[in-house]
Amino acid sequence: MLYLVAILLICSLVLNIILFRSRLQQRTEVKYIRNKLKKVINEETGERLLLYTDDKYIKSMLIQINRLLDHNQKIIGNYNSIELSMRKMLSNISHDLKTPLTVILGYIEMINNDKNLTTERILGLLKTVNVKTVEVLELVNRFFELVKLESGDKKLSVSRIDICEVSRKIILDYYEILINKDFEVVIDLPEDPVFVRGDEDAVERVLHNLISNAIRYGSDGKAIGLKIRIAENDVDIEVSDKGKGINELHKDRVFERMYTLEDSRNTHYQGSGLGLTITKRLVEQMGGSISLDSIPFQKTAFTVRLKRIRY
């Protein structure tokens, strides 16, 4: 009996020692986690918690903490990217506003102060002032349109649209311009109606942006194409040109907010960098996507994919 009691006491002592060591180890590990987290927060580092442990609860907690740290790093990265983009946007808008406003103010000052100006000269200056004023208004309107799209204030009315009819209407708007510029125009549209899911005003704006972009930046190639391809569940609308194209290093960035063609396509054309961003936001709000493929002086094509409707 005494022998059995002695064994039980020894087992109890060993168990307590194991539990004590386990608690001590657990306390040490929790202390490490606390101090490491404090360092990560205070020093804003991208470190993860690395700790070897046999405790399954500590392991589980470490996994979740590291997931949280990774998520936090992504948020910080996105915030920094957006902040940099916004700074560049404001810088570009300031530059793009300053140039025409300087011309406007200069010409108005000339009209007010130079008494020797002829009526013909004054009318010529006022015509330039009008053109520059329209440029300013267009830039401001584009900026506010993008702000509305990204804030969710601009809601699209999605319905069934005959994309062939809309495409024909838009390309006809550019008929005179294309003829005067001696462009070769290749149009490949199905004869029968093809219906997609979208907002008609938004689709028209997207096509206007892409066609005007092709005319402006692809003018060296003297060619423009508009093609519709039908898949089982989608419809692709391709607008192409044969101009200078877009470098492979930059083509994934042309849809970024304020990523201008000064950075990517042609230093002679310095746009505000809003047109393609607005285009992408409109397409995405309609549940579609937009992509770019470019081989300089062969084919630069923007392809909009929208959901097909069969009825």
Side-chain angles (χ1 to χ4, degrees):
M1 185 68 179
L2 290 174
Y3 178 73
L4 181 59
V5 171
I7 291 176
L8 289 173
L9 286 172
I10 292 171
C11 288
S12 178
L13 180 62
V14 170
L15 181 60
N16 284 329
I17 290 172
I18 291 173
L19 289 173
F20 175 76
R21 292 186 63 183
S22 176
R23 290 195 189 97
L24 185 63
Q25 179 66 22
Q26 200 174 56
R27 186 179 299 172
T28 302
E29 291 171 350
V30 170
K31 185 178 180 181
Y32 162 81
I33 293 172
R34 181 198 66 192
N35 292 338
K36 196 70 174 177
L37 278 175
K38 186 177 180 181
K39 180 182 178 183
V40 168
I41 293 170
N42 290 340
E43 298 181 10
E44 298 182 355
T45 68
E47 295 181 71
R48 301 173 86 249
L49 302 188
L50 303 176
L51 176 67
Y52 177 79
T53 178
D54 293 324
D55 190 311
K56 64 179 182 179
Y57 298 107
I58 295 290
K59 282 182 180 178
S60 177
M61 183 171 66
L62 282 170
I63 290 171
Q64 299 308 316
I65 288 174
N66 283 326
R67 286 184 63 193
L68 183 61
L69 290 174
D70 289 341
H71 180 65
N72 185 58
Q73 281 301 114
K74 288 180 182 178
I75 291 175
I76 292 173
N78 289 337
Y79 174 80
N80 290 336
S81 176
I82 290 172
E83 185 179 27
L84 181 63
S85 178
M86 290 299 291
R87 286 180 181 177
K88 184 172 185 179
M89 178 173 66
L90 291 173
S91 174
N92 284 3
I93 285 178
S94 298
H95 176 270
D96 289 344
L97 285 174
K98 182 178 179 181
T99 302
L101 285 175
T102 300
V103 173
I104 291 170
L105 291 173
Y107 281 10
I108 290 175
E109 185 177 347
M110 190 185 301
I111 292 170
N112 285 334
N113 296 333
D114 192 342
K115 305 302 180 183
N116 296 321
L117 289 176
T118 63
T119 302
E120 183 180 356
R121 177 60 174 156
I122 291 174
L123 290 175
L125 292 175
L126 287 175
K127 185 176 180 180
T128 303
V129 167
N130 180 69
V131 169
K132 294 301 178 181
T133 303
V134 170
E135 283 183 20
V136 171
L137 287 174
E138 184 177 332
L139 177 60
V140 171
N141 287 335
R142 282 191 170 194
F143 174 72
F144 282 113
E145 182 179 6
L146 180 58
V147 169
K148 285 183 178 180
L149 283 169
E150 297 200 330
S151 66
D153 289 342
K154 184 169 183 174
K155 302 297 182 183
L156 301 184
S157 177
V158 177
S159 61
R160 188 182 74 152
I161 300 170
D162 182 353
I163 189 63
C164 295
E165 181 184 349
V166 174
S167 298
R168 290 189 190 98
K169 182 174 73 172
I170 299 304
I171 196 67
L172 281 174
D173 289 343
Y174 292 90
Y175 179 78
E176 292 295 335
I177 296 174
L178 293 169
I179 293 299
N180 290 334
K181 289 181 176 288
D182 294 323
F183 268 66
E184 175 192 358
V185 182
V186 179
I187 301 174
D188 185 3
L189 306 178
E191 292 184 7
D192 296 328
V194 176
F195 296 105
V196 297
R197 179 182 180 274
D199 178 283
E200 187 164 347
D201 290 338
V203 171
E204 290 183 1
R205 179 66 188 275
V206 165
L207 289 175
H208 273 301
N209 283 349
L210 294 179
I211 292 172
S212 61
N213 185 74
I215 293 172
R216 184 179 183 187
Y217 300 113
S219 58
D220 291 340
K222 292 293 181 181
I224 188 170
L226 177 60
K227 181 178 181 179
I228 288 180
R229 298 190 298 268
I230 306 172
E232 185 174 352
N233 298 313
D234 303 297
V235 175
D236 288 347
I237 307 100
E238 178 189 276
V239 177
S240 61
D241 66 70
K242 294 182 180 180
K244 293 179 180 294
I246 297 173
N247 189 288
E248 185 73 22
L249 297 173
H250 301 282
K251 77 174 191 177
D252 291 332
R253 298 192 60 194
V254 294
F255 299 107
E256 292 180 14
R257 188 193 300 108
M258 299 309 294
Y259 191 76
T260 68
L261 294 171
E262 176 186 0
D263 303 310
S264 60
R265 192 167 186 180
N266 190 334
T267 54
H268 295 295
Y269 302 121
Q270 298 181 9
S272 64
L274 292 175
L276 289 177
T277 306
I278 291 171
T279 298
K280 187 172 189 290
R281 298 293 184 272
L282 288 171
V283 171
E284 289 174 342
Q285 281 207 16
M286 292 185 287
S289 62
I290 184 169
S291 59
L292 165 66
D293 291 297
S294 181
I295 302 176
F297 298 107
Q298 290 187 36
K299 186 178 182 180
T300 294
F302 287 90
T303 302
V304 174
R305 175 166 292 179
L306 296 174
K307 294 295 180 184
R308 184 183 179 189
I309 296 178
R310 294 178 177 274
Y311 58 87

